[in-house]
Amino acid sequence: MRMTEQTLELDCGKPTPTFSQRLAAGFAPLASLFRMFRNRMEINALHDLNDSQLRDIGLTRADLTSAFLASTFFEDPSEHLTRSARNRWRLQLFRSSPE
């Protein structure tokens, strides 16, 4: 038999996930929900800070309130707070730059 006549069938399809990979994929939405709930509780704790402490981290009380109003119960309000703090920092940087 010649080498050119031999063929080798390779199954190059999508590999089946292992049990641990399937288990991790199953728990991913639950972990995401837990993370969102934890972030919501942490943002609630920010209400205990005074205005100067909030200003130190680039936030205002209005940012805290708008984060909760802008997000539904199943959305993470921490993303809104991050955007608010970054926008405020950029605006302050723009105002303080020499012309």
Side-chain angles (χ1 to χ4, degrees), residues 67-80:
F68 280 113
L69 294 176
S71 61
T72 64
F73 182 74
F74 292 106
E75 292 177 333
D76 192 355
S78 65
E79 295 171 8
H80 179 76

Side-chain angles (χ1 to χ4, degrees), residues 2-3 11-12 14 16-17 19 21 26 51 57 59-60 71-72 74 88 90 92 95:
R2 299 172 139 189
M3 291 294 283
D11 186 19
C12 296
K14 184 177 177 183
T16 58
F19 176 73
Q21 289 171 332
D51 290 337
I57 59 175
L59 297 172
T60 64
S71 61
T72 64
F74 292 106
R88 186 167 289 110
R90 287 180 184 134
Q92 183 180 7
R95 288 180 181 166

Side-chain angles (χ1 to χ4, degrees), residues 27-84:
F27 279 118
L30 184 62
S32 176
L33 186 65
F34 175 73
R35 188 179 322 108
M36 182 270 315
F37 181 71
R38 186 188 65 214
N39 288 345
R40 196 171 271 278
M41 297 302 289
E42 291 294 327
I43 292 169
N44 246 351
L46 289 176
H47 282 285
D48 295 338
L49 299 177
N50 62 33
D51 290 337
S52 66
Q53 290 171 326
L54 285 173
R55 201 171 29 252
D56 284 345
I57 59 175
L59 297 172
T60 64
R61 294 224 179 267
D63 292 336
L64 298 178
T65 304
S66 68
F68 280 113
L69 294 176
S71 61
T72 64
F73 182 74
F74 292 106
E75 292 177 333
D76 192 355
S78 65
E79 295 171 8
H80 179 76
L81 286 180
T82 302
R83 275 193 311 275
S84 295

